[in-house]
Structures are given as C-alpha cells and as structure tokens.
Amino acid sequence: MRKRVGPRRPTQVEIAQRAGVSQATVSLVLNERTGAPVAEETRRRVQQAIEDLGYAVNPAARALRGMTVKTIGLYTFESVFPVDQRDFYHPFLLGVEAEAARLGYDLLLFTSANTAQRGVYAMGRNALLKADGCVLLGRHISRDDLANLAKEGFPFVFIGRRDIAGAELSYVAPDYVAPTAALVEELVALGHQRILLLRQTDGAEPGDDRELGLRQGGQAAGLTADDLVVEFSSGAEDIDADRVTGWVQAGITAVVVEPSEDNATGVALAEVAEAAGLRIPDHLSVAFLGSAPPPTATRIWTSFEIPRVEMGRAAVQLLVNLLEGADQPPLQLVVPCIDVRGNSISRVVRR
Amino acid sequence: MRKRVGPRRPTQVEIAQRAGVSQATVSLVLNERTGAPVAEETRRRVQQAIEDLGYAVNPAARALRGMTVKTIGLYTFESVFPVDQRDFYHPFLLGVEAEAARLGYDLLLFTSANTAQRGVYAMGRNALLKADGCVLLGRHISRDDLANLAKEGFPFVFIGRRDIAGAELSYVAPDYVAPTAALVEELVALGHQRILLLRQTDGAEPGDDRELGLRQGGQAAGLTADDLVVEFSSGAEDIDADRVTGWVQAGITAVVVEPSEDNATGVALAEVAEAAGLRIPDHLSVAFLGSAPPPTATRIWTSFEIPRVEMGRAAVQLLVNLLEGADQPPLQLVVPCIDVRGNSISRVVRR
DNA sequence: ATCCTCGATTCATACGTATCAATTCGCGTA
DNA sequence: TACGCGAATTGATACGTATGAATCGAGGAT
C-alpha cells in the first residue's frame, strides 16, 4: 500500500476559491438534487471554474461519506477467473457485464482474492468492500462465507441456489425441479420403469433439486420409490464397465445425469456404455439435467440449458435493487431452463 | 449517488476500545512496516479484537489518505466492451486480467463510461479515478484525451503506439516496422518490383509504422520510391474490381494490407480479386501486416500475429512499475510480432 | 419600525484512516 | 539523584466530500 505520487488533483476548495464561493456551494452545484437552491449566476461561475481546472469529484472521499460509488463487484470461487471463453462461467460474466453497463455501473473483477485461494474472508474481504455490492459465482463455494456475508448485511447476489439456515440470502437460480420432473415423466411414458439419477458428490442444492424433480416426476407418473435409484459420482474415474452393466442388470433402462462443469462424468458414461456394447439410446436412455456435452453429427444429448447470460443480467438487476431500494429484503429469483430435444432417449426395448 | 444503507462495519476505533489501546496503535499493527515497534503482547490483543469483530480496513478511507488501493482500471475506446470472446480485443483482456491477478491487483472494467460514448473526459473521468492507474485500449482513441491524461499525471499505459507532441506517454506497442520491412524484402526476392501498401484511413501511428517498414524494406531491397505505392481504404465498400484491376495494370504484383479489426478490407480484396479472375497468389501476392482472416482448408494468409495476450500482460507490468516505482518516468515497450508463413504470396509470374 | 418568510449561502462537522510529533515509562549511566 | 535514551504508545491532524444547522439579506406584511 504505497503512497500515491504525482501532482494533486484540484479539489472543491480550489474550485470554490476560483469561483469566489464556499466549498459547500460547489458541492451543492455538483449534487443539484439536494433541495437547496443555487442562484443561476453562481451555478454558472462554479461550472466555469470546474471546466477551467478540470475538476473531477474524488470517489474515495465520496465513498467515505457513505455514498455509493456505482461499482459492482464480481467474485468467483473458482481459482481461475472466468474471463476465458472456454470456461463454463463465461456466459454469466457476459450477462453481468452487459447489465452493469446498461445500468451505469462499473464492474470490479476480484482477481487478486482468487490467487490467495482462501475465500472471501481471507484476502477477499478488503476487496469486496471496494464495491457497493457483489455478484458471487461458483460451485465450490463456502457456505460459511455466504452466511457471514449475509449476517454482516453486505449486499450481494449469488448465482445459483444456496439455502443457509438462519439467513435469507439473495440469489438467482435455475429451476432444475420442473424440467427434471418433466423429463422423468417423459421417460416413464416411453416405457421406462427404473430410472437412475447420477448425482455429483459435491452437487449440494442443485443436486437436491434434481433429486426432488426425480421424485416428483416419478410419483406423478406412478412409479414407486424403489423404481427411482440415486447414485453418486465424483468424476470420470468412478464410472467403469462393471458399474454400468450392473445398472442394466438391475433393470435400469434410463440414466439422468447431473452435469459437472466439464461434464466428465457424462462423457465417461457414454464411452463406457458404448465400449460395453450398450448403445444409446437403444439399450440405455441417457439425459443430462442441465448443460450437456456439445452436439456432434450423430448425437444431440437430451438435456436442458441454463439461461446463463440471462441469469447474469438478472443477478445484476437484483443487486441494483438491493442497492438502490431503501432497506430491500433479500430477493430470490428462479428462472426456467430451456428444453433441448435430443436423440439420446428413446422408447424402452424389452429384451 | 444514493446513501449506503445497512449495518455499519467495525472501525479501528472499536478495535482499539476492545483491545484497550488507541486507534493509532491499531493502525500500526495493521501496517507493520512503518518502523514504529509494537510490543508483542499488544499486537496479539489487537489481532484478537480484529478477529473477534471481523474487522476489515475501509478502502475508501485508505484511498482518501492517498494510499493506493490495488486496483487497475481497464478502459476501452470502442463502444462494445471486449468481454465478448469474438471481439478482437479479447486476448488483450485475458493478458491484462492474468497479470493483474498475478501481481495482486483487482481489475476495474469501465463499462459505464462506454455507454456514454463520449470519451474519458465526459462520463469516464470520475470512473478512472476509482483505480490507481489505468490500461487504455482501442483504435478509435481520442488524442486529446490521452494528452490531457498525460498532462494531469494520471498513471496509465496505452496498448498500441500513440505519439503526442509535447507529452511523453507510456505504451506497449507491437513492432510493425521490422516485420513489414522483412516481408517487403521477401517479396522483392520473389521478383516483385512494384508493391502496394493498402492503409486504413484511420490507421494513425500503426499505419505510419507499416509505411515506414515498406520504405525501409523497399530501400534495403533496392527498389525506388516510385516502386512503392500507398493507397487508403476505409472498408470493404471502396474495394471494387476496377480498382484492383487498375493496380495490376499499373504493374502491381503484390499488395500488403494493414488490417482492421474485422479485416473487412482484406476479405473484400480477396473476393474482388478472385471474382475478377485474379488468383492469389499466382496473379497477385497478398499479405497482411498484422492479424489475417482465419485460415481455411486451402488458404493460410501470409501475415504476422500480434502477441496480444503478452501485450496485455506487459501493459499491466508497465503500469505497476509506474505505480510502485517512485516518480518513474513514462515507459515504452515495443514487442516483436510472430511471423505466419502462409501461402498467399509467391514468386511473381511474368506474363 | 418590527417581525416573519424565504431564497441563497456559509459554517461546521463527520466519515475512517495513516502518520508525524509528542508523551510516557523503564532502565542504565554519569 | 539527575540525566539521557530508546522502546512503546498516544494525541492530533489532514485527506476531500456531503449535509444539517446556522447565517445573511431582501422584501413583504403587519
């Protein structure tokens, strides 16, 4: 934290001297809406002095007075910042950026905090305070951090759903329940009687939502709890031929997969099944409860897409509401996903 | 500029009270390097109080004291902010972001200023001051803005070269001269005797550099000034068959093109030439003095690439030098480009 | 002439921090 | 005992702004 160098910038005091008024009057001219009237002639002289000296208000001083500074922070819990276009999070960033610009806010990327890898309450805390409020993003998020932030009353919006006991927080999240239920009902209508949900081990609330959708859909379609199987995967390495063929032998005819960022689990499942002679969808229907691997010439995965850009925009809108609305309560927004009709599920084939 | 709401955060005064010391001591503990010694026992008590109350230093107050805030601004002069991956500027942003993170700086994107479309000295000025210094980027930049910023002593680094009379400013720029000269020499070695440089109308210094390279290369290869022709284009629309065939009839056998962001001029040239029955490179050699259109199955444009990510990194390094070095003079850095050996130039064919 | 009103302006203060100058205290030396 | 010295701590101040309270005139109205 070195000292700043270079020539000092003009202040309101200097403007005041040049215009022959007091500093307070300069401030009044700058923030015209305060109700106190300023004579037209004085206003002109002050404006002129501002022009002459090239004055610009000092954001630090303003912030110290407790004013907002029109800056929205963006914090991600992943180690690599998602400016990279290949990153799963990039569309969110696009939405956040676009909406911030539209609403006249600058965007502060907390890149420094992420190098420390220690969460908001290590390096990041000072950083967060540089912004009026913050959009938080990322799967591997610390619940404690979120709870603390909420308790402190720091304005933020989380992208994704997190329920914290004893604290209500603002988020914008996709609706995983409804499309999952719809997909399960569709599978039952296609003749599937035993359906497997493959969850991510770290799925948290998003995983819970898929499981809830599975049960709702299964119940609506007349399946019993025994017909709905839930297993976990922590990545590609725990999907092998034995496991997949085991499912089939146990009567599973359809697998619905909770995607991870890189979709390693889903890709592995497809490869292992294919290698074991199980064709998709003839022998095994597979669908992704979220973003699927990219389509190829022959394969379009049945799935649904998260409206990521729109969610980014919505998060900023919620945050600005929090910032500009007088003591606004926490806001939640659930947005619908978009069905992707693929060719990876089909009518069940009895052997 | 609304007033902030919500619960107040703890201050150094409250820490001091809880630890039974003065505010000054708390500040000393926080910034240990000031030479004043603090007893180990006191330090411990203060640290404990900080822990207990969840204290974090107020960046605004610190900034007001004239401290830096570890934030680098990024300002682009184009209207659309280059977070979009399709944008020409995206690689620069990647480099800036990565290096800022590495050096422990946060990155402030001036999105709000760009919506106003009026340059640094309209909306943008207040915004710039939120950061310790700024990286500036963009082709359609206002010289006046740059000159004023330099005069005011605001720390910034421009990506791209701009010479401003009476002011020395910091920039990182690609070396267009050397590779252009080399390319011209190569063309002469291939038998070309009359070479055309097609400049962008708004090319400014980058265009000047290409022209300088053309003359240097031509001279080194023994061509006279008459053998080197310079014309201007403002986009695809002023490239038509008449113009291109006119060149050929005037003895031009090779065209070197200053690229624009979208390379519209170069693309148009290729299409028009092809349509007029001029095959590239057999009838006309074409090279890009910078980034070329993307390669296809049959065509790799002879060109050279600007190391954009590296330039972004370098710009941040220069800026941090300015910020952390005591009254550092302006710094300039010229980086080499990377040759792309294509198939769009060839030995001249005498008819 | 006195009082009140009201528009225009100024005074004074607080925001939270870093740092210089001043103070206190313990201790060894003259 | 007096004195000096260095380590540890504190008092006081300034950074630039916004704003509530106070001041000041100039007109009316009474």
Side-chain angles (χ1 to χ4, degrees):
Chain A
M1 291 291 169
R2 297 184 43 77
K3 195 110 181 178
R4 260 179 177 138
V5 292
R8 244 180 60 301
R9 304 193 51 79
T11 72
Q12 289 187 2
V13 174
E14 298 167 55
I15 303 298
Q17 287 166 347
R18 180 174 242 263
V21 297
S22 73
Q23 176 267 326
T25 305
V26 175
S27 178
L28 286 182
V29 171
L30 287 169
N31 321 343
E32 358 205 347
R33 57 137 186 58
T34 358
V38 178
E40 200 45 51
E41 159 65 9
T42 356
R43 179 188 312 282
R44 232 187 25 72
R45 283 214 316 283
V46 171
Q47 298 280 21
Q48 184 62 47
I50 288 177
E51 194 77 16
D52 294 346
L53 299 188
Y55 169 82
V57 61
N58 181 329
R62 193 170 246 185
L64 186 55
R65 284 290 320 234
M67 310 279 98
T68 70
V69 113
K70 300 286 258 183
T71 301
I72 288 178
L74 180 59
Y75 188 94
T76 78
F77 287 84
E78 317 306 317
S79 56
V80 177
F81 201 80
V83 173
D84 191 330
Q85 67 215 44
R86 296 176 299 271
D87 194 283
F88 173 81
Y89 295 106
H90 189 253
F92 291 116
L93 179 58
L94 280 184
V96 168
E97 187 271 331
E99 191 65 12
R102 198 177 72 79
L103 298 178
Y105 281 79
D106 291 319
L107 193 59
L108 182 54
L109 307 184
F110 295 121
T111 57
S112 69
N114 292 29
T115 59
Q117 291 276 47
R118 312 190 36 214
V120 182
Y121 279 86
M123 286 289 296
R125 176 196 292 243
N126 292 346
L128 287 195
L129 298 179
K130 294 193 218 166
D132 297 330
C134 199
V135 173
L136 302 176
L137 185 59
R139 175 186 286 257
H140 306 103
I141 186 184
S142 155
R143 302 186 104 75
D144 292 344
D145 284 357
L146 282 188
N148 281 330
L149 281 178
K151 197 178 325 173
E152 289 185 3
F154 182 79
F156 73 95
V157 174
F158 182 64
I159 294 188
R161 189 165 71 76
R162 283 295 184 284
D163 294 329
I164 307 283
E168 201 182 10
L169 36 83
S170 298
Y171 60 78
V172 40
D175 177 12
Y176 292 128
V177 181
T180 298
L183 193 52
V184 168
E185 291 188 59
E186 183 178 353
L187 286 169
V188 174
L190 289 172
H192 296 271
Q193 295 290 329
R194 270 178 84 75
I195 299 175
L196 172 75
L197 165 62
L198 191 56
R199 284 185 61 168
Q200 297 292 316
T201 44
D202 62 351
E205 280 84 350
D208 296 342
D209 284 355
R210 266 80 165 213
E211 189 160 339
L212 182 59
L214 172 75
R215 309 225 173 271
Q216 285 186 1
Q219 186 169 13
L223 294 193
T224 70
D226 289 346
D227 300 327
L228 304 172
V229 187
V230 176
E231 293 202 12
F232 287 82
S233 161
S234 60
E237 63 282 359
D238 60 11
I239 306 292
D240 54 22
D242 285 352
R243 194 172 178 192
V244 176
T245 53
W247 293 337
V248 174
Q249 282 162 14
I252 303 284
T253 56
V255 180
V256 290
V257 184
E258 176 188 9
S260 57
E261 287 96 331
D262 57 2
N263 258 318
T265 303
V267 171
L269 172 60
E271 284 172 356
V272 168
E274 211 72 24
L278 293 167
R279 275 204 307 283
I280 300 174
D282 305 323
H283 303 139
L284 192 66
S285 286
V286 174
F288 286 86
L289 306 174
S291 298
T296 66
T298 58
R299 165 71 68 220
I300 301 171
W301 294 102
T302 297
S303 60
F304 44 86
E305 280 297 330
I306 304 165
R308 286 181 274 176
V309 176
E310 267 316 310
M311 285 177 65
R313 301 193 85 109
V316 171
Q317 287 166 9
L318 258 54
L319 181 56
V320 170
N321 273 348
L322 287 179
L323 293 175
E324 300 188 351
D327 70 280
Q328 193 89 1
L331 303 168
Q332 290 88 30
L333 182 64
V334 174
V335 301
C337 292
I338 300 139
D339 273 342
V340 176
R341 311 301 305 179
N343 57 9
S344 63
I345 69 173
S346 71
R347 183 161 292 281
V348 68
V349 179
R350 303 259 166 231
R351 325 193 178 205
Chain B
M1 292 293 167
R2 295 184 44 77
K3 196 109 182 177
R4 260 178 178 140
V5 292
R8 242 180 63 294
R9 305 193 51 78
T11 72
Q12 289 188 0
V13 173
E14 298 167 55
I15 303 298
Q17 288 166 346
R18 181 173 241 264
V21 297
S22 73
Q23 175 267 326
T25 305
V26 176
S27 177
L28 286 183
V29 170
L30 287 169
N31 321 342
E32 359 203 347
R33 58 135 188 56
T34 359
V38 177
E40 200 46 49
E41 158 65 11
T42 332
R43 181 188 310 283
R44 232 189 23 74
R45 284 214 316 281
V46 171
Q47 299 280 20
Q48 185 60 47
I50 288 178
E51 194 75 16
D52 294 346
L53 299 187
Y55 168 82
V57 61
N58 181 329
R62 194 169 244 183
L64 185 56
R65 281 292 320 235
M67 311 278 97
T68 69
V69 124
K70 300 287 258 181
T71 301
I72 287 179
L74 180 60
Y75 188 94
T76 77
F77 287 85
E78 317 305 317
S79 57
V80 177
F81 201 80
V83 174
D84 192 329
Q85 66 216 43
R86 297 177 298 271
D87 194 284
F88 173 81
Y89 295 106
H90 190 252
F92 291 116
L93 178 58
L94 280 184
V96 169
E97 187 271 330
E99 191 65 12
R102 199 176 71 78
L103 298 178
Y105 282 78
D106 291 319
L107 193 59
L108 182 54
L109 306 184
F110 294 121
T111 57
S112 69
N114 292 29
T115 60
Q117 293 275 46
R118 312 192 33 216
V120 182
Y121 279 86
M123 285 290 296
R125 173 196 294 241
N126 293 345
L128 287 195
L129 298 179
K130 293 192 218 169
D132 297 330
C134 199
V135 172
L136 301 176
L137 184 60
R139 176 185 285 258
H140 305 104
I141 187 184
S142 154
R143 300 187 106 75
D144 293 343
D145 285 356
L146 282 189
N148 280 331
L149 280 178
K151 196 177 327 171
E152 290 184 5
F154 183 79
F156 73 95
V157 173
F158 183 63
I159 294 188
R161 190 165 71 77
R162 284 294 185 284
D163 294 329
I164 307 283
E168 201 182 9
L169 36 83
S170 297
Y171 60 77
V172 41
D175 177 12
Y176 291 128
V177 180
T180 298
L183 193 53
V184 168
E185 291 187 59
E186 183 179 353
L187 285 169
V188 175
L190 288 171
H192 296 272
Q193 296 291 330
R194 269 177 85 76
I195 299 175
L196 173 76
L197 165 62
L198 191 57
R199 285 186 60 167
Q200 297 292 316
T201 43
D202 62 351
E205 280 85 348
D208 296 342
D209 283 354
R210 266 79 167 215
E211 189 160 340
L212 181 59
L214 172 75
R215 307 225 174 273
Q216 285 186 2
Q219 187 169 11
L223 295 194
T224 70
D226 289 346
D227 299 328
L228 304 171
V229 188
V230 177
E231 293 202 11
F232 286 83
S233 161
S234 60
E237 63 284 357
D238 59 11
I239 306 292
D240 54 23
D242 285 352
R243 195 171 178 194
V244 176
T245 53
W247 293 337
V248 175
Q249 281 163 14
I252 302 284
T253 57
V255 181
V256 291
V257 184
E258 176 188 10
S260 56
E261 288 95 330
D262 56 2
N263 258 319
T265 303
V267 171
L269 171 59
E271 285 172 355
V272 167
E274 210 73 22
L278 294 166
R279 276 203 307 283
I280 299 173
D282 305 323
H283 303 138
L284 191 66
S285 286
V286 174
F288 286 86
L289 306 175
S291 297
T296 65
T298 59
R299 165 71 67 222
I300 301 171
W301 294 101
T302 297
S303 61
F304 45 85
E305 279 296 331
I306 304 165
R308 285 182 275 175
V309 176
E310 268 316 310
M311 286 178 64
R313 300 193 86 107
V316 171
Q317 287 166 9
L318 259 54
L319 181 56
V320 170
N321 273 349
L322 288 179
L323 293 176
E324 299 188 352
D327 69 277
Q328 193 89 1
L331 304 167
Q332 289 88 29
L333 182 64
V334 173
V335 301
C337 292
I338 301 140
D339 273 342
V340 177
R341 311 300 305 179
N343 59 9
S344 64
I345 68 172
S346 70
R347 182 160 293 282
V348 69
V349 180
R350 306 256 166 234
R351 331 193 175 204

